[in-house]
Amino acid sequence: MDFDALFNSQLDALKADGNYRIFAELERQCGQFPKARSHDDDAPDQVTVWCSNDYLGMGQHPKVQKAMVDAVLAHGTGAGGTRNISGTNNCHVALEAELADLHGKEDALLFTSGYVSNWAALSTLGSRLADCVILSDELNHASMIEGIRHSRAKKVIWKHNDPEDLDRKLAALPANAPKIVAFESVYSMDGDICPMEEILEVAEKHGAMTYLDEVHAVGLYGPRGGGVSEERGLADRITLIEGTLGKAYGCMGGYITGSAAMCDFIRSFASGFIFTTALPPAVAAAAATSIAHLKESQVERDRQKQQVAKLRNMLDARGIPHLDNPSHIVPVMIKDPVKCKMLADILMQDWGIYVQPINYPTVPKGTERLRFTPGPLHSDADILHLVEALSVLWKQCAIAHAVA
Ligand SMILES: *Cc1c(COP(=O)(O)O)cnc(C)c1O
């Protein structure tokens, strides 16, 4: 059987739809972020990254770098095993304490990524709690969807950010079944933020536990970077808060926080926790340093907010439409996969601006977009350059559109 032909026919279909993914090969250079060297032949040598989830540049923060290097020199490269079999290092334990403190919870549990933490925690809760029903916001991240699917628990999807729909759906369920309401704070593609207090009120009314993904908020929101739940003073009402160490904290790994019993339960039963080698101690040490820094320091968050506002104002001044939202994410809607990719290619090749086209399946078809994430290290000149490039392309696109 010609397996490659089978593979290629599906890849060809992706290409025909404009949804085939091509990665930009970058060489990140310390001290230069958000500038990076491009290894692609048709891009300039140096490009400005406009779509990084290293939202605050913590991946190149001298304190964080030093923590990682020191820990490698002190403890070596790998953890040496799963957490159960010789893999639990002092760095993991210290990081879990840092995380529990960040969210004001009794305990925390580390995973190798945010994806794995959602997948493992939801699949364990959903499969081990008898008759459990998971109520999932319709725009939840793939990692939550996969965890719920794997749990084989009954799943009910509620309308995005709609507490009234959630209320109706909870009311229709048996009163004595354990229920989990799973949702996110900042939704990463539209940049909208959930009505957290209203959702909590509904969940509490029905005795449901709450599962909150704060992946795009930790480090960024709240006076200590504890996320939207900290900013709004709601963390103590949420059963489980999940986050990543790979985005604003600039490292890698994922976690959950909550009661000691719940963390112990997931530690004891989650396959995705038990059967995989622990994070390198140096990654844990760097993440703990990044979290501790952002608990104290406001300069990164303040400057990020300023630069986000500047970009929005300048886009408005040039009439370039972007989704209005209260977060740090600036989506410019293109609504066509081929055009979206073409614009991104031109920005990269002619302007040295790197923004990844966001196409299906990351977003629904017809909502393709360029997603900009301004950070504290984007200069005013970077912003001006971006807005100028977009204005030129907007005019060209409009002309092309009129001719077609
Ligand atoms: C990126 C992302 C994750 C996964 O986190 P990683 O640490 O990158 O695996 C989980 N939830 C949401 C909403 C995300 O955007």
Side-chain angles (χ1 to χ4, degrees):
M1 190 168 243
D2 187 350
F3 284 100
D4 281 347
L6 296 177
F7 302 144
N8 283 324
S9 74
Q10 294 200 28
L11 289 170
D12 290 344
L14 266 189
K15 286 176 190 164
D17 287 347
N19 289 325
Y20 182 70
R21 294 168 177 229
I22 296 167
F23 298 154
E25 183 182 344
L26 298 178
E27 182 182 328
R28 280 163 66 94
Q29 294 170 305
C30 280
Q32 301 299 309
F33 188 73
K35 305 260 189 285
R37 182 168 293 163
S38 169
H39 282 225
D40 294 335
D41 291 339
D42 40 15
D45 284 350
Q46 211 198 38
V47 299
T48 305
V49 180
W50 272 102
C51 54
S52 181
N53 285 336
D54 183 357
Y55 291 123
L56 301 176
M58 293 305 286
Q60 302 190 357
H61 194 287
K63 280 202 320 208
V64 180
Q65 282 176 269
K66 182 170 186 309
M68 188 177 284
V69 171
D70 287 353
V72 167
L73 296 177
H75 310 301
T77 50
T82 66
R83 288 292 293 276
N84 188 38
I85 304 179
S86 99
T88 297
N89 285 252
N90 57 317
C91 299
H92 299 123
V93 177
L95 173 55
E96 285 173 340
E98 193 71 74
L99 288 164
D101 171 75
L102 176 67
H103 295 293
K105 298 291 184 195
E106 283 174 3
D107 213 345
L109 194 64
L110 267 178
F111 296 83
T112 46
S113 74
Y115 186 103
V116 173
S117 64
N118 273 332
W119 182 83
L122 281 166
S123 56
T124 303
L125 292 166
S127 63
R128 288 249 158 207
L129 296 173
D131 304 321
C132 177
V133 183
I134 303 181
L135 295 104
S136 179
D137 182 288
E138 70 179 323
L139 291 190
N140 274 345
H141 188 256
S143 54
M144 285 197 267
I145 295 169
E146 291 295 338
I148 296 166
R149 191 196 320 243
H150 187 73
S151 79
R152 301 210 181 127
K154 180 176 157 77
K155 165 161 117 171
V156 175
I157 295 175
W158 47 289
K159 261 180 77 186
H160 177 56
N161 278 350
D162 187 341
E164 284 165 22
D165 189 50
L166 174 64
D167 191 23
R168 278 190 295 275
K169 289 189 164 145
L170 275 166
L173 294 170
N176 56 352
K179 303 169 194 80
I180 302 174
V181 173
F183 61 114
E184 303 179 20
S185 56
V186 178
Y187 285 82
S188 69
M189 291 301 144
D190 286 355
D192 54 335
I193 299 182
C194 75
M196 196 176 289
E197 184 155 24
E198 289 82 349
I199 292 170
L200 292 178
E201 268 160 22
V202 169
E204 285 161 2
K205 181 173 120 189
H206 296 278
M209 89 173 242
T210 41
Y211 186 112
L212 176 64
D213 177 316
E214 287 256 40
V215 160
H216 290 276
V218 288
L220 306 176
Y221 296 84
R224 302 195 315 152
V228 177
S229 56
E230 185 198 23
E231 187 175 58
R232 299 188 183 174
L234 297 170
D236 61 335
R237 288 169 61 184
I238 298 161
T239 320
L240 185 154
I241 297 176
E242 182 271 348
T244 185
L245 306 170
K247 291 172 182 168
Y249 292 124
C251 296
M252 177 158 191
Y255 64 89
I256 59 159
T257 61
S259 73
M262 188 186 66
C263 291
D264 199 21
F265 177 77
I266 293 168
R267 182 186 75 88
S268 303
F269 292 115
S271 163
F273 175 82
I274 297 170
F275 295 107
T276 190
T277 300
L279 283 177
V283 172
T289 302
S290 183
I291 295 165
H293 176 83
L294 289 174
K295 279 179 182 172
E296 300 287 329
S297 174
Q298 305 301 329
V299 289
E300 293 86 0
R301 284 189 280 272
D302 289 348
R303 166 103 177 145
Q304 182 199 34
K305 287 197 186 85
Q306 272 173 20
Q307 298 310 79
V308 170
K310 263 181 215 156
L311 175 60
R312 287 210 172 103
N313 290 338
M314 289 176 69
L315 288 173
D316 288 342
R318 310 274 178 123
I320 296 167
H322 53 97
L323 273 190
D324 189 25
N325 68 51
S327 75
H328 59 285
I329 292 162
V330 184
V332 171
M333 305 305 285
I334 310 298
K335 301 181 180 176
D336 176 277
V338 176
K339 216 175 190 183
C340 194
K341 164 119 184 36
M342 187 190 75
L343 281 170
D345 285 345
I346 298 172
L347 283 169
M348 182 74 142
Q349 289 161 17
D350 296 353
W351 298 83
I353 288 167
Y354 172 43
V355 61
Q356 191 65 29
I358 307 277
N359 286 357
Y360 179 82
T362 308
V363 295
K365 288 182 180 170
T367 71
E368 293 80 7
R369 66 199 65 187
L370 301 173
R371 171 185 178 270
F372 298 96
T373 54
L377 298 173
H378 285 102
S379 68
D380 291 357
D382 291 334
I383 296 175
L384 186 63
H385 181 67
L386 170 63
V387 173
E388 259 165 25
L390 288 174
S391 331
V392 168
L393 289 179
W394 236 243
K395 284 180 198 132
Q396 285 173 355
C397 272
I399 293 162
H401 192 71
V403 172

